[in-house]
Amino acid sequence: MITHHPNDALLLDYASGAASEPMSLLIATHLALCPSCRRKVADYEAIGGAFVSNCGSEKISRELKSETLASLDDFLDVETCHDTSIGTRSDEPKAGIPQPLSDYCGEVDNKDVWQWAGFGIKKIPLLEIHDKFECYMLAIRGGKKVPSHDHGGSEWTLVLDGAFTDEAGHFSRGDMVEMREGEEHQPMADAGKDCICLVVAEAPVSLTGSVGRFLNPFIGN
Ligand SMILES: [Zn+2]
């Protein structure tokens, strides 16, 4: 049972289309696993729709209307334009990587898609073109403790398989946890199964403790 959910501000950003592409991917993936947050987002969307339909409209000339529609066509033709309102399905698979994340990460059972990051951790970088957030899949070997680290900005972790425990509690499939700038933790994957997560981070982590501080230059900090 999911016990850790995105806060209301994140769900509202998603419902209104204001969320960035990495955050939309994160929230949409949580929604695929979480009926209660799907209901909340549906309510937010209904409220937004009612608000728009109740707004008064101004009459505009035929010329202005066609110019506006033409400029929208041009905007949508721009190659760099991407849709940040990633949708989700409610036909959740019983196991594995749910839509829409599976469209982004490929076949996670194929070991060639993973990159070793040291300390019993593997990564699949996602959405590498995004300049504000790092977004990646993370696999922590079952029973392995990640080195203690803190965060240079907010970091959101969504568990997709297996489970982990840290100072804030125990997190399993569908649970989403937010760590804020300056908070420190040391996750440990439950024994017997790798813990696979989707992570969105505003800034890279830095290792803490005497050994961690020594190793930081080797992981690019
Ligand atoms: Zn939820």
Side-chain angles (χ1 to χ4, degrees):
M1 182 186 166
I2 297 173
T3 54
H4 299 84
H5 303 266
N7 63 39
D8 288 345
L10 293 176
L11 295 178
L12 198 53
D13 273 359
Y14 174 85
S16 67
S20 65
E21 188 175 15
M23 291 305 294
S24 287
L25 178 61
L26 183 81
I27 299 299
T29 306
H30 174 79
L31 295 180
L33 302 171
C34 182
S36 72
C37 284
R38 279 205 299 274
R39 281 193 293 275
K40 271 191 179 182
V41 167
D43 287 346
Y44 291 148
E45 288 172 341
I47 292 166
F51 179 77
V52 169
S53 64
N54 287 332
C55 284
S57 58
E58 295 289 329
K59 281 209 176 300
I60 60 171
S61 70
R62 189 183 296 260
E63 291 75 20
L64 179 57
K65 184 178 177 185
S66 57
E67 277 174 24
T68 304
L69 291 175
S71 65
L72 280 175
D73 282 346
D74 291 344
F75 175 74
L76 292 172
D77 280 343
V78 174
E79 257 187 16
T80 54
C81 175
H82 58 261
D83 181 9
T84 60
S85 58
I86 296 165
T88 185
R89 295 186 196 164
S90 56
D91 52 343
E92 171 204 341
K94 287 284 179 274
I97 306 302
Q99 283 277 1
L101 179 58
S102 55
D103 291 340
Y104 284 75
C105 65
E107 186 48 68
V108 297
D109 291 335
N110 177 0
K111 63 180 176 32
D112 292 336
V113 303
W114 292 94
Q115 302 174 1
W116 279 105
F119 311 108
I121 299 167
K122 295 181 290 184
K123 277 185 174 184
I124 304 174
L126 304 173
L127 297 170
E128 291 184 275
I129 55 164
H130 205 278
D131 56 3
K132 184 161 188 269
F133 296 98
E134 270 194 283
C135 180
Y136 51 89
M137 304 272 293
L138 181 72
I140 309 167
R141 195 182 302 150
K144 190 83 185 169
K145 208 178 239 186
V146 174
S148 183
H149 60 275
D150 64 17
H151 304 83
S154 290
E155 177 193 86
W156 297 268
T157 302
L158 171 63
V159 180
L160 300 164
D161 202 15
F164 76 84
T165 301
D166 71 4
E167 292 79 348
H170 183 254
F171 304 93
S172 54
R173 180 168 165 85
D175 281 332
M176 196 177 120
V177 57
E178 177 176 354
M179 297 297 294
R180 293 176 186 272
E181 182 174 357
E183 289 182 331
E184 185 176 329
H185 69 155
Q186 186 170 29
M188 181 174 174
D190 285 12
K193 194 174 195 185
D194 289 355
C195 179
I196 297 178
C197 305
L198 173 63
V199 180
V200 176
E202 287 181 324
V205 301
S206 60
L207 303 181
T208 53
S210 53
V211 175
R213 278 190 278 275
F214 171 74
L215 290 171
N216 273 327
F218 299 97
I219 61 169
N221 290 329

PDB file of all heavy atoms in Angstrom, residues 14 41 75 97 129 153 163 214:
ATOM      1  N   TYR A  14       0.998  19.669 -11.932  1.00  0.00           N
ATOM      2  CA  TYR A  14       0.813  18.661 -12.980  1.00  0.00           C
ATOM      3  C   TYR A  14      -0.536  18.840 -13.672  1.00  0.00           C
ATOM      4  O   TYR A  14      -0.633  18.873 -14.902  1.00  0.00           O
ATOM      5  CB  TYR A  14       0.926  17.257 -12.373  1.00  0.00           C
ATOM      6  CG  TYR A  14       0.604  16.165 -13.358  1.00  0.00           C
ATOM      7  CD1 TYR A  14       1.583  15.681 -14.225  1.00  0.00           C
ATOM      8  CD2 TYR A  14      -0.680  15.630 -13.453  1.00  0.00           C
ATOM      9  CE1 TYR A  14       1.283  14.686 -15.153  1.00  0.00           C
ATOM     10  CE2 TYR A  14      -0.983  14.648 -14.375  1.00  0.00           C
ATOM     11  CZ  TYR A  14       0.004  14.178 -15.220  1.00  0.00           C
ATOM     12  OH  TYR A  14      -0.297  13.208 -16.135  1.00  0.00           O
ATOM     13  N   VAL A  41      -6.074  14.557  -8.892  1.00  0.00           N
ATOM     14  CA  VAL A  41      -5.730  15.263 -10.132  1.00  0.00           C
ATOM     15  C   VAL A  41      -6.972  15.444 -11.002  1.00  0.00           C
ATOM     16  O   VAL A  41      -7.179  16.503 -11.598  1.00  0.00           O
ATOM     17  CB  VAL A  41      -4.605  14.523 -10.886  1.00  0.00           C
ATOM     18  CG1 VAL A  41      -4.453  15.036 -12.311  1.00  0.00           C
ATOM     19  CG2 VAL A  41      -3.288  14.684 -10.136  1.00  0.00           C
ATOM     20  N   PHE A  75       4.006  27.886 -33.858  1.00  0.00           N
ATOM     21  CA  PHE A  75       4.602  27.550 -32.569  1.00  0.00           C
ATOM     22  C   PHE A  75       4.717  26.040 -32.403  1.00  0.00           C
ATOM     23  O   PHE A  75       5.741  25.504 -31.986  1.00  0.00           O
ATOM     24  CB  PHE A  75       3.754  28.149 -31.452  1.00  0.00           C
ATOM     25  CG  PHE A  75       4.217  27.764 -30.077  1.00  0.00           C
ATOM     26  CD1 PHE A  75       5.373  28.320 -29.538  1.00  0.00           C
ATOM     27  CD2 PHE A  75       3.510  26.840 -29.325  1.00  0.00           C
ATOM     28  CE1 PHE A  75       5.806  27.963 -28.275  1.00  0.00           C
ATOM     29  CE2 PHE A  75       3.947  26.490 -28.061  1.00  0.00           C
ATOM     30  CZ  PHE A  75       5.085  27.044 -27.538  1.00  0.00           C
ATOM     31  N   ILE A  97       7.713  -1.632 -14.959  1.00  0.00           N
ATOM     32  CA  ILE A  97       7.761  -0.185 -15.096  1.00  0.00           C
ATOM     33  C   ILE A  97       6.472   0.297 -15.751  1.00  0.00           C
ATOM     34  O   ILE A  97       6.161  -0.085 -16.868  1.00  0.00           O
ATOM     35  CB  ILE A  97       8.964   0.225 -15.972  1.00  0.00           C
ATOM     36  CG1 ILE A  97      10.260  -0.379 -15.420  1.00  0.00           C
ATOM     37  CG2 ILE A  97       9.058   1.743 -16.068  1.00  0.00           C
ATOM     38  CD1 ILE A  97      10.581  -0.001 -13.994  1.00  0.00           C
ATOM     39  N   ILE A 129      18.581  16.353 -22.034  1.00  0.00           N
ATOM     40  CA  ILE A 129      18.602  17.705 -22.597  1.00  0.00           C
ATOM     41  C   ILE A 129      18.055  18.730 -21.608  1.00  0.00           C
ATOM     42  O   ILE A 129      18.176  19.924 -21.822  1.00  0.00           O
ATOM     43  CB  ILE A 129      17.775  17.801 -23.897  1.00  0.00           C
ATOM     44  CG1 ILE A 129      16.343  17.305 -23.650  1.00  0.00           C
ATOM     45  CG2 ILE A 129      18.425  17.055 -25.026  1.00  0.00           C
ATOM     46  CD1 ILE A 129      15.391  17.740 -24.749  1.00  0.00           C
ATOM     47  N   GLY A 153      19.826  20.696  -3.678  1.00  0.00           N
ATOM     48  CA  GLY A 153      18.502  21.215  -4.041  1.00  0.00           C
ATOM     49  C   GLY A 153      17.499  20.122  -3.739  1.00  0.00           C
ATOM     50  O   GLY A 153      17.852  19.081  -3.183  1.00  0.00           O
ATOM     51  N   ALA A 163      12.379  -2.036  -2.327  1.00  0.00           N
ATOM     52  CA  ALA A 163      12.072  -1.052  -1.280  1.00  0.00           C
ATOM     53  C   ALA A 163      13.374  -0.586  -0.648  1.00  0.00           C
ATOM     54  O   ALA A 163      14.411  -1.241  -0.779  1.00  0.00           O
ATOM     55  CB  ALA A 163      11.176  -1.679  -0.218  1.00  0.00           C
ATOM     56  N   PHE A 214      36.197  12.532   0.874  1.00  0.00           N
ATOM     57  CA  PHE A 214      37.398  12.179   0.109  1.00  0.00           C
ATOM     58  C   PHE A 214      37.022  11.746  -1.316  1.00  0.00           C
ATOM     59  O   PHE A 214      37.705  12.069  -2.279  1.00  0.00           O
ATOM     60  CB  PHE A 214      38.141  11.055   0.830  1.00  0.00           C
ATOM     61  CG  PHE A 214      39.268  10.455   0.043  1.00  0.00           C
ATOM     62  CD1 PHE A 214      40.467  11.145  -0.119  1.00  0.00           C
ATOM     63  CD2 PHE A 214      39.130   9.228  -0.584  1.00  0.00           C
ATOM     64  CE1 PHE A 214      41.512  10.600  -0.854  1.00  0.00           C
ATOM     65  CE2 PHE A 214      40.167   8.669  -1.324  1.00  0.00           C
ATOM     66  CZ  PHE A 214      41.354   9.365  -1.460  1.00  0.00           C
TER      67      PHE A 214
END
